[in-house]
Coordinates of all heavy atoms in Angstrom, one line a residue:
M29 N -47.9 -19.1 21.7 CA -46.7 -19.7 21.1 C -46.3 -19.0 19.8 O -45.1 -18.8 19.5 CB -47.0 -21.2 20.8 CG -47.0 -22.1 22.1 SD -45.4 -22.1 22.9 CE -44.6 -23.4 22.0
A30 N -47.4 -18.6 19.1 CA -47.1 -18.0 17.8 C -46.3 -16.7 18.0 O -45.3 -16.4 17.3 CB -48.4 -17.7 17.0
T31 N -46.7 -15.9 19.0 CA -46.0 -14.7 19.2 C -44.6 -14.9 19.7 O -43.7 -14.2 19.4 CB -46.8 -13.8 20.2 OG1 -47.1 -14.6 21.3 CG2 -48.1 -13.3 19.6
D32 N -44.5 -16.0 20.6 CA -43.2 -16.3 21.1 C -42.2 -16.7 19.9 O -41.1 -16.4 19.9 CB -43.3 -17.5 22.1 CG -43.7 -16.9 23.5 OD1 -43.8 -15.7 23.6 OD2 -44.0 -17.7 24.4
Y33 N -42.8 -17.4 19.0 CA -42.0 -17.9 17.9 C -41.6 -16.7 16.9 O -40.5 -16.7 16.4 CB -42.8 -19.0 17.1 CG -42.0 -19.6 15.9 CD1 -41.0 -20.5 16.2 CD2 -42.3 -19.2 14.6 CE1 -40.3 -21.1 15.2 CE2 -41.6 -19.8 13.6 CZ -40.6 -20.7 13.9 OH -39.9 -21.2 12.9
D34 N -42.6 -15.9 16.7 CA -42.4 -14.7 15.8 C -41.4 -13.7 16.5 O -40.6 -13.1 15.8 CB -43.7 -14.0 15.5 CG -44.4 -14.8 14.4 OD1 -43.8 -15.7 13.8 OD2 -45.6 -14.5 14.1
A35 N -41.5 -13.6 17.8 CA -40.8 -12.5 18.4 C -39.3 -12.6 18.2 O -38.7 -11.7 17.7 CB -41.1 -12.5 19.9
P36 N -38.7 -13.8 18.5 CA -37.2 -13.9 18.3 C -36.8 -13.7 16.8 O -35.8 -13.1 16.5 CB -36.9 -15.3 18.8 CG -38.2 -16.0 18.9 CD -39.3 -15.0 19.1
R37 N -37.7 -14.2 15.9 CA -37.4 -14.1 14.5 C -37.3 -12.6 14.1 O -36.4 -12.2 13.5 CB -38.4 -14.8 13.6 CG -38.2 -16.2 13.4 CD -39.1 -16.8 12.4 NE -38.8 -16.4 11.1 CZ -39.6 -16.4 10.0 NH1 -40.8 -16.9 10.2 NH2 -39.2 -16.1 8.8
K38 N -38.3 -11.9 14.6 CA -38.3 -10.5 14.2 C -37.1 -9.8 14.9 O -36.5 -8.9 14.2 CB -39.6 -9.8 14.8 CG -39.9 -8.5 14.1 CD -41.2 -7.9 14.7 CE -41.4 -6.5 14.1 NZ -42.4 -5.7 14.9
T39 N -36.8 -10.2 16.1 CA -35.6 -9.6 16.7 C -34.4 -9.8 16.0 O -33.5 -9.0 15.8 CB -35.5 -10.1 18.2 OG1 -36.7 -9.9 18.9 CG2 -34.4 -9.4 18.9
D40 N -34.3 -11.1 15.5 CA -33.1 -11.5 14.7 C -33.0 -10.6 13.5 O -31.9 -10.1 13.1 CB -33.1 -12.9 14.3 CG -32.8 -13.8 15.5 OD1 -32.3 -13.3 16.5 OD2 -32.9 -15.1 15.4
E41 N -34.1 -10.5 12.8 CA -34.1 -9.7 11.6 C -33.7 -8.2 11.9 O -32.9 -7.6 11.2 CB -35.4 -9.7 10.9 CG -35.6 -11.0 10.1 CD -37.0 -11.1 9.5 OE1 -37.7 -10.1 9.5 OE2 -37.4 -12.2 9.1
D42 N -34.3 -7.7 13.0 CA -34.0 -6.4 13.3 C -32.5 -6.2 13.7 O -31.8 -5.3 13.2 CB -34.8 -6.0 14.6 CG -36.2 -5.6 14.2 OD1 -36.4 -5.5 12.9 OD2 -37.1 -5.4 15.0
A43 N -32.0 -7.3 14.4 CA -30.6 -7.2 14.8 C -29.7 -7.2 13.5 O -28.7 -6.5 13.4 CB -30.3 -8.4 15.7
E44 N -30.1 -8.1 12.6 CA -29.3 -8.2 11.4 C -29.3 -6.9 10.6 O -28.2 -6.4 10.2 CB -29.8 -9.3 10.5 CG -29.1 -10.6 10.7 CD -29.7 -11.7 9.8 OE1 -30.0 -11.3 8.6 OE2 -29.9 -12.8 10.2
Q45 N -30.5 -6.3 10.5 CA -30.6 -5.0 9.8 C -29.8 -4.0 10.5 O -29.1 -3.2 9.9 CB -32.1 -4.6 9.7 CG -32.7 -5.4 8.5 CD -34.2 -4.9 8.3 OE1 -34.7 -4.2 9.2 NE2 -34.8 -5.3 7.3
D46 N -29.9 -4.0 11.9 CA -29.2 -3.0 12.6 C -27.7 -3.2 12.4 O -27.0 -2.2 12.2 CB -29.5 -3.2 14.1 CG -30.8 -2.6 14.5 OD1 -31.4 -1.9 13.6 OD2 -31.3 -2.8 15.6
S47 N -27.2 -4.4 12.5 CA -25.8 -4.6 12.3 C -25.3 -4.2 10.9 O -24.3 -3.6 10.7 CB -25.4 -6.0 12.6 OG -26.0 -6.9 11.7
I48 N -26.2 -4.5 9.9 CA -25.8 -4.2 8.6 C -25.8 -2.6 8.4 O -24.8 -2.1 7.9 CB -26.8 -4.8 7.6 CG1 -26.6 -6.3 7.4 CG2 -26.6 -4.1 6.2 CD1 -27.7 -7.0 6.7
Q49 N -26.8 -2.0 9.0 CA -26.8 -0.6 8.9 C -25.6 0.0 9.7 O -25.0 1.0 9.2 CB -28.1 0.0 9.5 CG -29.3 -0.1 8.5 CD -30.6 0.2 9.1 OE1 -30.7 0.4 10.3 NE2 -31.6 0.2 8.4
E50 N -25.3 -0.6 10.8 CA -24.2 -0.1 11.6 C -22.9 -0.3 10.8 O -22.0 0.6 10.7 CB -24.1 -0.9 12.9 CG -23.3 -0.2 14.0 CD -23.3 -1.0 15.2 OE1 -24.2 -1.7 15.5 OE2 -22.3 -0.9 15.9
L51 N -22.7 -1.5 10.1 CA -21.6 -1.7 9.3 C -21.5 -0.7 8.2 O -20.4 -0.1 7.9 CB -21.6 -3.1 8.7 CG -21.1 -4.2 9.6 CD1 -21.3 -5.6 8.9 CD2 -19.6 -4.0 9.9
Q52 N -22.6 -0.4 7.5 CA -22.6 0.5 6.4 C -22.2 1.9 6.9 O -21.5 2.6 6.3 CB -23.9 0.5 5.7 CG -24.1 -0.7 4.8 CD -25.5 -0.7 4.3 OE1 -26.4 -0.1 4.8 NE2 -25.7 -1.5 3.2
A53 N -22.8 2.2 8.1 CA -22.5 3.5 8.7 C -21.0 3.6 9.0 O -20.3 4.6 8.7 CB -23.3 3.8 9.9
R54 N -20.4 2.6 9.6 CA -19.0 2.6 9.9 C -18.2 2.6 8.7 O -17.2 3.3 8.6 CB -18.7 1.3 10.7 CG -19.1 1.3 12.1 CD -18.6 0.1 12.9 NE -19.2 0.0 14.2 CZ -19.0 -1.1 14.9 NH1 -18.3 -2.1 14.5 NH2 -19.6 -1.2 16.1
R55 N -18.6 1.8 7.6 CA -17.9 1.8 6.4 C -17.8 3.2 5.8 O -16.8 3.6 5.3 CB -18.6 0.8 5.4 CG -17.6 -0.2 4.9 CD -18.3 -1.2 4.0 NE -18.3 -2.5 4.5 CZ -19.0 -3.5 4.0 NH1 -19.6 -3.3 2.9 NH2 -18.9 -4.7 4.5
S56 N -19.0 3.9 5.7 CA -19.0 5.2 5.1 C -18.1 6.1 6.0 O -17.5 7.0 5.5 CB -20.4 5.7 5.0 OG -21.0 5.7 6.3
D57 N -18.2 5.9 7.3 CA -17.3 6.8 8.1 C -15.8 6.5 7.8 O -15.1 7.5 7.6 CB -17.5 6.4 9.6 CG -18.8 7.1 10.2 OD1 -19.3 7.9 9.4 OD2 -19.1 6.8 11.3
K58 N -15.5 5.3 7.7 CA -14.1 4.9 7.4 C -13.7 5.5 6.0 O -12.7 6.1 5.9 CB -13.9 3.4 7.4 CG -13.6 2.9 8.8 CD -13.2 1.4 8.7 CE -13.0 0.8 10.1 NZ -12.8 -0.6 10.1
S59 N -14.5 5.2 5.0 CA -14.2 5.6 3.7 C -14.0 7.1 3.6 O -13.2 7.6 2.9 CB -15.2 5.1 2.7 OG -16.5 5.6 3.0
S60 N -14.9 7.8 4.3 CA -14.8 9.3 4.3 C -13.5 9.7 4.9 O -12.8 10.6 4.4 CB -16.0 9.9 5.0 OG -16.0 9.6 6.4
G61 N -13.1 9.0 6.0 CA -11.8 9.3 6.6 C -10.7 9.0 5.6 O -9.7 9.8 5.5
V62 N -10.8 7.9 4.9 CA -9.7 7.5 4.0 C -9.6 8.6 2.9 O -8.6 8.9 2.4 CB -10.0 6.1 3.4 CG1 -9.1 5.9 2.2 CG2 -9.8 5.1 4.5
V63 N -10.8 9.0 2.4 CA -10.8 10.0 1.3 C -10.1 11.2 1.8 O -9.3 11.8 1.0 CB -12.3 10.3 0.9 CG1 -12.3 11.6 0.1 CG2 -12.9 9.2 0.2
D64 N -10.3 11.6 3.0 CA -9.6 12.8 3.5 C -8.1 12.6 3.5 O -7.3 13.5 3.1 CB -10.0 13.1 5.0 CG -11.4 13.7 5.0 OD1 -11.9 14.2 3.9 OD2 -12.1 13.6 6.0
E65 N -7.6 11.4 3.9 CA -6.2 11.2 3.9 C -5.7 11.2 2.5 O -4.6 11.7 2.2 CB -5.9 9.8 4.6 CG -6.0 9.9 6.1 CD -5.8 8.5 6.7 OE1 -5.2 7.6 6.0 OE2 -6.3 8.3 7.8
D66 N -6.4 10.5 1.6 CA -6.0 10.5 0.2 C -5.9 11.9 -0.4 O -4.9 12.2 -1.1 CB -7.0 9.7 -0.7 CG -6.8 8.2 -0.4 OD1 -5.8 7.8 0.2 OD2 -7.6 7.4 -0.9
E67 N -6.8 12.7 0.0 CA -6.8 14.1 -0.6 C -5.6 14.8 0.0 O -4.9 15.5 -0.7 CB -8.0 14.8 -0.1 CG -9.2 14.5 -1.1 CD -10.5 15.2 -0.6 OE1 -10.5 15.9 0.5 OE2 -11.5 15.0 -1.2
T68 N -5.2 14.5 1.2 CA -4.0 15.1 1.8 C -2.8 14.6 1.1 O -1.9 15.4 0.7 CB -3.9 14.8 3.3 OG1 -5.1 15.2 3.9 CG2 -2.8 15.6 3.9
E69 N -2.7 13.3 0.9 CA -1.6 12.8 0.2 C -1.5 13.2 -1.2 O -0.4 13.6 -1.7 CB -1.6 11.2 0.2 CG -1.2 10.7 1.6 CD -1.2 9.2 1.6 OE1 -1.2 8.6 0.5 OE2 -1.3 8.6 2.6
A70 N -2.6 13.3 -1.9 CA -2.6 13.8 -3.3 C -2.2 15.2 -3.3 O -1.4 15.6 -4.2 CB -4.0 13.6 -3.8
A71 N -2.6 16.0 -2.4 CA -2.1 17.4 -2.4 C -0.6 17.5 -2.2 O 0.0 18.3 -2.8 CB -2.9 18.1 -1.2
E72 N -0.1 16.6 -1.3 CA 1.3 16.6 -1.1 C 2.0 16.1 -2.4 O 3.1 16.6 -2.8 CB 1.7 15.7 0.0 CG 1.4 16.3 1.4 CD 1.6 15.4 2.5 OE1 2.0 14.2 2.3 OE2 1.3 15.7 3.7
G73 N 1.4 15.1 -3.1 CA 2.0 14.6 -4.3 C 2.1 15.7 -5.4 O 3.0 15.7 -6.1
F74 N 1.1 16.6 -5.4 CA 1.1 17.6 -6.4 C 2.3 18.5 -6.3 O 2.8 19.1 -7.2 CB -0.2 18.4 -6.4 CG -1.3 17.7 -7.1 CD1 -2.5 17.4 -6.5 CD2 -1.2 17.2 -8.4 CE1 -3.6 16.7 -7.1 CE2 -2.2 16.6 -9.1 CZ -3.4 16.3 -8.4
E75 N 2.7 18.7 -5.0 CA 3.9 19.5 -4.8 C 5.1 18.9 -5.3 O 6.1 19.6 -5.7 CB 4.0 19.8 -3.3 CG 2.9 20.7 -2.7 CD 3.0 20.8 -1.2 OE1 4.1 20.5 -0.7 OE2 2.0 21.2 -0.6
L76 N 5.2 17.6 -5.4 CA 6.3 16.9 -5.9 C 5.9 16.1 -7.1 O 5.6 14.9 -7.0 CB 6.9 16.0 -4.8 CG 7.4 16.6 -3.6 CD1 7.6 15.6 -2.5 CD2 8.7 17.4 -3.8
P77 N 5.8 16.7 -8.3 CA 5.3 16.0 -9.5 C 6.2 14.8 -9.8 O 5.7 13.8 -10.4 CB 5.3 17.0 -10.6 CG 6.1 18.2 -10.0 CD 6.2 18.0 -8.6
G78 N 7.4 14.8 -9.5 CA 8.4 13.8 -9.8 C 8.1 12.5 -9.0 O 8.4 11.4 -9.5
A79 N 7.6 12.6 -7.8 CA 7.4 11.5 -6.9 C 6.0 11.1 -6.8 O 5.2 11.7 -6.0 CB 7.9 11.8 -5.5
D80 N 5.5 10.3 -7.7 CA 4.1 9.8 -7.7 C 4.0 8.7 -6.7 O 5.0 8.1 -6.2 CB 3.7 9.4 -9.1 CG 4.4 8.2 -9.6 OD1 5.6 8.1 -9.3 OD2 3.8 7.3 -10.2
L81 N 2.7 8.4 -6.3 CA 2.5 7.5 -5.2 C 2.9 6.1 -5.6 O 3.4 5.4 -4.7 CB 1.0 7.5 -4.9 CG 0.5 8.8 -4.2 CD1 -1.0 8.7 -4.0 CD2 1.2 8.9 -2.8
S82 N 2.8 5.7 -6.8 CA 3.2 4.3 -7.2 C 4.7 4.2 -7.0 O 5.2 3.1 -6.5 CB 2.9 4.1 -8.6 OG 3.5 5.0 -9.5
G83 N 5.5 5.2 -7.3 CA 6.9 5.1 -7.1 C 7.3 5.1 -5.6 O 8.1 4.3 -5.1
E84 N 6.5 5.8 -4.8 CA 6.7 5.8 -3.3 C 6.4 4.4 -2.8 O 7.1 3.9 -1.9 CB 5.7 6.8 -2.7 CG 6.3 7.4 -1.5 CD 5.4 8.6 -1.0 OE1 5.0 9.4 -1.9 OE2 5.2 8.7 0.2
E85 N 5.4 3.7 -3.3 CA 5.0 2.4 -2.9 C 6.2 1.4 -3.2 O 6.6 0.6 -2.4 CB 3.8 1.9 -3.6 CG 2.6 1.8 -2.7 CD 1.3 1.4 -3.4 OE1 1.4 0.3 -4.0 OE2 0.4 2.1 -3.4
L86 N 6.8 1.6 -4.4 CA 7.9 0.7 -4.8 C 9.0 0.9 -3.8 O 9.7 0.0 -3.5 CB 8.3 1.0 -6.2 CG 7.3 0.5 -7.3 CD1 7.8 1.0 -8.6 CD2 7.2 -1.0 -7.3
A87 N 9.3 2.1 -3.4 CA 10.4 2.4 -2.6 C 10.2 1.8 -1.2 O 11.2 1.3 -0.6 CB 10.7 3.9 -2.5
V88 N 9.0 1.8 -0.7 CA 8.7 1.3 0.6 C 8.8 -0.2 0.6 O 9.4 -0.8 1.5 CB 7.3 1.8 1.1 CG1 7.0 1.1 2.4 CG2 7.4 3.3 1.3
R89 N 8.2 -0.8 -0.4 CA 8.2 -2.2 -0.5 C 9.6 -2.8 -0.8 O 10.3 -2.2 -1.6 CB 7.2 -2.7 -1.6 CG 6.3 -3.8 -1.1 CD 5.3 -4.2 -2.3 NE 4.3 -3.2 -2.5 CZ 3.7 -3.1 -3.7 NH1 4.0 -3.9 -4.7 NH2 2.7 -2.2 -3.9
V90 N 9.9 -3.9 -0.2 CA 11.2 -4.5 -0.5 C 11.0 -5.4 -1.7 O 10.5 -6.5 -1.5 CB 11.7 -5.3 0.7 CG1 13.1 -5.9 0.4 CG2 11.9 -4.4 1.9
L91 N 11.5 -5.0 -2.8 CA 11.3 -5.8 -4.0 C 12.6 -6.5 -4.3 O 13.7 -6.1 -4.0 CB 11.1 -4.8 -5.2 CG 9.7 -4.2 -5.2 CD1 9.6 -3.2 -6.3 CD2 8.6 -5.2 -5.3
P92 N 12.5 -7.7 -4.8 CA 13.7 -8.4 -5.3 C 14.4 -7.7 -6.4 O 13.7 -7.0 -7.2 CB 13.1 -9.8 -5.8 CG 11.7 -9.5 -6.1 CD 11.2 -8.4 -5.2
R93 N 15.7 -7.7 -6.4 CA 16.4 -7.0 -7.3 C 16.1 -7.5 -8.7 O 16.0 -8.7 -9.0 CB 17.9 -7.1 -7.1 CG 18.7 -6.2 -7.8 CD 20.2 -6.1 -7.4 NE 20.6 -7.1 -6.4 CZ 21.5 -8.0 -6.7 NH1 22.1 -8.1 -7.8 NH2 21.9 -8.9 -5.7
Q94 N 15.9 -6.6 -9.7 CA 15.6 -6.9 -11.0 C 16.8 -7.4 -11.7 O 17.9 -7.2 -11.4 CB 15.0 -5.7 -11.8 CG 13.7 -5.2 -11.1 CD 12.6 -6.2 -11.0 OE1 12.2 -6.7 -12.0 NE2 12.1 -6.5 -9.8
A95 N 16.6 -8.2 -12.8 CA 17.7 -8.8 -13.5 C 18.6 -7.8 -14.1 O 19.8 -8.0 -14.3 CB 17.1 -9.7 -14.6
D96 N 18.0 -6.6 -14.5 CA 18.8 -5.6 -15.1 C 19.3 -4.6 -14.1 O 19.6 -3.4 -14.5 CB 18.1 -4.9 -16.3 CG 16.8 -4.3 -15.8 OD1 16.4 -4.5 -14.6 OD2 16.2 -3.5 -16.5
E97 N 19.3 -4.9 -12.9 CA 19.8 -4.0 -11.8 C 20.9 -4.7 -11.0 O 21.0 -5.9 -11.0 CB 18.6 -3.6 -10.9 CG 17.6 -2.7 -11.6 CD 16.4 -2.4 -10.6 OE1 16.3 -3.2 -9.7 OE2 15.7 -1.5 -10.9
F98 N 21.6 -3.9 -10.3 CA 22.7 -4.4 -9.5 C 22.8 -3.6 -8.2 O 22.3 -2.4 -8.2 CB 24.0 -4.4 -10.2 CG 24.6 -3.0 -10.4 CD1 25.6 -2.5 -9.5 CD2 24.2 -2.2 -11.4 CE1 26.1 -1.3 -9.7 CE2 24.7 -0.9 -11.6 CZ 25.7 -0.5 -10.7
T99 N 23.3 -4.1 -7.1 CA 23.5 -3.4 -5.9 C 25.0 -3.0 -5.8 O 25.9 -3.8 -5.8 CB 23.1 -4.2 -4.7 OG1 21.8 -4.7 -4.8 CG2 23.2 -3.4 -3.4
C100 N 25.2 -1.7 -5.8 CA 26.6 -1.2 -5.7 C 27.2 -1.6 -4.3 O 26.5 -1.5 -3.3 CB 26.6 0.3 -5.8 SG 28.2 1.1 -5.5
T101 N 28.3 -2.2 -4.4 CA 28.9 -2.7 -3.1 C 29.6 -1.5 -2.4 O 30.2 -1.7 -1.3 CB 30.0 -3.8 -3.4 OG1 30.9 -3.3 -4.4 CG2 29.3 -5.0 -3.9
S102 N 29.6 -0.4 -2.9 CA 30.2 0.8 -2.2 C 29.1 1.6 -1.5 O 29.2 1.9 -0.4 CB 30.9 1.7 -3.2 OG 31.5 2.8 -2.6
C103 N 28.0 2.0 -2.3 CA 27.0 2.8 -1.7 C 25.8 2.0 -1.3 O 24.8 2.5 -0.7 CB 26.6 4.0 -2.6 SG 25.9 3.4 -4.2
F104 N 25.8 0.7 -1.7 CA 24.7 -0.2 -1.4 C 23.3 0.2 -2.0 O 22.3 -0.2 -1.5 CB 24.6 -0.4 0.1 CG 25.8 -1.0 0.7 CD1 26.6 -0.2 1.5 CD2 26.2 -2.3 0.5 CE1 27.8 -0.6 2.0 CE2 27.3 -2.8 1.1 CZ 28.2 -2.0 1.8
L105 N 23.4 1.0 -3.0 CA 22.2 1.4 -3.7 C 22.0 0.5 -4.9 O 22.9 0.1 -5.5 CB 22.2 2.9 -4.1 CG 22.2 3.9 -3.0 CD1 22.4 5.3 -3.6 CD2 20.9 3.8 -2.2
V106 N 20.7 0.3 -5.2 CA 20.4 -0.5 -6.4 C 20.4 0.4 -7.6 O 19.7 1.4 -7.6 CB 19.0 -1.2 -6.2 CG1 18.7 -2.0 -7.5 CG2 19.1 -2.2 -5.0
H107 N 21.2 0.1 -8.6 CA 21.2 0.9 -9.8 C 20.9 0.0 -11.0 O 20.9 -1.2 -10.9 CB 22.7 1.4 -10.0 CG 23.1 2.4 -8.9 ND1 22.7 3.7 -8.9 CD2 23.9 2.2 -7.9 CE1 23.2 4.2 -7.8 NE2 24.0 3.4 -7.2
H108 N 20.5 0.7 -12.1 CA 20.3 0.0 -13.3 C 21.7 -0.4 -13.9 O 22.7 0.2 -13.6 CB 19.6 0.9 -14.3 CG 19.1 0.2 -15.5 ND1 19.8 0.2 -16.7 CD2 18.0 -0.6 -15.7 CE1 19.1 -0.5 -17.6 NE2 18.1 -1.0 -17.0
R109 N 21.6 -1.5 -14.7 CA 22.9 -2.0 -15.3 C 23.7 -0.9 -16.0 O 24.9 -1.0 -16.0 CB 22.5 -3.1 -16.3 CG 22.3 -4.5 -15.6 CD 23.7 -5.1 -15.5 NE 23.6 -6.4 -14.7 CZ 24.6 -7.1 -14.4 NH1 25.8 -6.7 -14.7 NH2 24.5 -8.3 -13.7
S110 N 23.0 0.0 -16.6 CA 23.6 1.1 -17.4 C 24.5 1.9 -16.5 O 25.4 2.7 -17.0 CB 22.6 1.9 -18.1 OG 21.8 2.6 -17.1
Q111 N 24.3 1.9 -15.2 CA 25.1 2.7 -14.2 C 26.2 1.9 -13.6 O 26.9 2.4 -12.7 CB 24.2 3.3 -13.2 CG 23.3 4.3 -13.7 CD 22.6 5.1 -12.5 OE1 21.6 4.6 -12.0 NE2 23.2 6.2 -12.1
L112 N 26.4 0.7 -14.1 CA 27.5 -0.2 -13.6 C 28.9 0.3 -14.2 O 29.1 0.2 -15.4 CB 27.3 -1.6 -13.9 CG 28.4 -2.6 -13.5 CD1 28.6 -2.6 -12.0 CD2 28.1 -4.0 -14.0
A113 N 29.7 0.8 -13.4 CA 31.0 1.4 -13.9 C 32.0 0.2 -14.1 O 32.5 0.1 -15.2 CB 31.6 2.3 -12.9
Y114 N 32.1 -0.7 -13.1 CA 33.0 -1.9 -13.3 C 32.7 -2.9 -12.2 O 32.1 -2.6 -11.2 CB 34.5 -1.5 -13.3 CG 34.9 -0.9 -12.0 CD1 35.3 -1.7 -10.9 CD2 35.0 0.5 -11.9 CE1 35.8 -1.1 -9.8 CE2 35.4 1.1 -10.7 CZ 35.8 0.3 -9.6 OH 36.2 0.9 -8.5
E115 N 33.1 -4.1 -12.5 CA 32.9 -5.2 -11.6 C 34.2 -5.8 -11.3 O 34.9 -6.2 -12.2 CB 31.9 -6.2 -12.2 CG 31.5 -7.3 -11.2 CD 30.5 -8.3 -11.9 OE1 30.0 -8.0 -13.0 OE2 30.3 -9.4 -11.3
K116 N 34.5 -5.9 -10.0 CA 35.9 -6.4 -9.7 C 35.7 -7.4 -8.5 O 35.1 -7.0 -7.4 CB 36.8 -5.3 -9.3 CG 38.2 -5.7 -9.1 CD 39.1 -4.5 -8.9 CE 38.9 -3.9 -7.5 NZ 39.7 -2.7 -7.3
N117 N 36.1 -8.6 -8.6 CA 36.0 -9.6 -7.6 C 34.6 -9.8 -7.1 O 34.4 -9.9 -5.9 CB 37.0 -9.3 -6.4 CG 38.4 -9.2 -6.9 OD1 38.8 -9.9 -7.8 ND2 39.2 -8.4 -6.2
G118 N 33.7 -9.7 -8.0 CA 32.3 -9.8 -7.6 C 31.7 -8.6 -7.0 O 30.5 -8.5 -6.6
Q119 N 32.5 -7.5 -6.9 CA 32.0 -6.3 -6.3 C 31.6 -5.4 -7.5 O 32.4 -5.1 -8.4 CB 33.1 -5.6 -5.5 CG 33.5 -6.5 -4.3 CD 34.2 -5.6 -3.2 OE1 34.9 -4.7 -3.5 NE2 33.9 -6.0 -2.0
M120 N 30.4 -4.9 -7.4 CA 29.9 -4.0 -8.5 C 29.9 -2.6 -8.0 O 29.3 -2.3 -7.0 CB 28.5 -4.5 -8.9 CG 28.5 -5.9 -9.4 SD 26.9 -6.7 -9.5 CE 26.8 -7.0 -11.2
I121 N 30.5 -1.8 -8.8 CA 30.6 -0.3 -8.4 C 29.9 0.5 -9.4 O 30.0 0.3 -10.6 CB 32.1 0.1 -8.4 CG1 33.0 -0.8 -7.5 CG2 32.3 1.5 -8.0 CD1 32.6 -0.9 -6.1
C122 N 29.0 1.4 -8.9 CA 28.2 2.2 -9.8 C 29.1 3.4 -10.3 O 30.1 3.7 -9.7 CB 27.0 2.7 -9.1 SG 27.3 4.0 -7.8
T123 N 28.6 4.0 -11.3 CA 29.3 5.1 -11.9 C 29.5 6.3 -10.9 O 30.5 7.0 -11.0 CB 28.5 5.6 -13.1 OG1 27.2 5.9 -12.8 CG2 28.5 4.6 -14.3
E124 N 28.5 6.4 -10.0 CA 28.7 7.5 -9.0 C 29.8 7.3 -8.1 O 30.6 8.2 -7.8 CB 27.4 7.7 -8.2 CG 26.2 8.3 -9.0 CD 24.9 8.2 -8.3 OE1 24.9 8.4 -7.1 OE2 23.9 7.9 -8.9
C125 N 30.0 6.0 -7.7 CA 31.1 5.7 -6.7 C 32.4 5.7 -7.5 O 33.5 6.0 -6.9 CB 30.8 4.4 -6.0 SG 29.4 4.5 -4.9
A126 N 32.4 5.2 -8.7 CA 33.6 5.1 -9.5 C 34.1 6.5 -9.9 O 35.3 6.7 -10.1 CB 33.4 4.3 -10.8
A127 N 33.2 7.5 -10.0 CA 33.7 8.8 -10.4 C 34.6 9.5 -9.4 O 34.4 9.3 -8.2 CB 32.4 9.7 -10.6
Ligands
ZN206 ZN1 27.7 3.2 -5.7

């Protein structure tokens, strides 16, 4: 009985350790893959110093329009207030479209 009782316990511990080791192995595999992608993206980012990754994230994410920004009703781009040429009948025109 004692061996029967011990056997499953030991198996459970082994299984747990195995799964943990497996997880860690997978995790390190994944992270190494991610690092490779990051290095690739970083290398691409260095070619374009003006476009950093944080700015790219902002562009991809749909952010609510900021209070000091407006959407041009002509080109539908979001501009800063300073680029508002004029507002007519609730339509806001940026300086680029007004030019
Ligand atoms: Zn415009």
Side-chain angles (χ1 to χ4, degrees):
M29 284 300 275
T31 48
D32 280 354
Y33 183 76
D34 280 348
R37 274 190 73 198
K38 198 185 175 193
T39 305
D40 282 351
E41 280 172 15
D42 282 351
E44 266 179 41
Q45 280 182 349
D46 281 353
S47 60
I48 288 170
Q49 281 171 355
E50 202 180 327
L51 274 176
Q52 284 173 340
R54 282 186 192 172
R55 231 177 248 177
S56 58
D57 279 354
K58 272 187 184 175
S59 61
S60 66
V62 168
V63 166
D64 285 341
E65 283 177 22
D66 282 352
E67 279 175 1
T68 307
E69 281 182 22
E72 286 174 2
F74 280 126
E75 290 174 18
L76 300 166
D80 64 322
L81 287 176
S82 58
E84 213 170 316
E85 249 177 60
L86 286 175
V88 171
R89 229 181 285 159
V90 179
L91 289 174
R93 193 169 8 119
Q94 301 300 303
D96 60 349
E97 290 176 341
F98 71 98
T99 304
C100 173
T101 50
S102 180
C103 64
F104 301 106
L105 291 175
V106 176
H107 295 284
H108 191 261
R109 275 275 176 186
S110 62
Q111 289 190 277
L112 176 63
Y114 61 86
E115 185 177 351
K116 188 173 72 180
N117 300 330
Q119 296 199 325
M120 298 165 121
I121 307 298
C122 72
T123 52
E124 287 172 36
C125 292

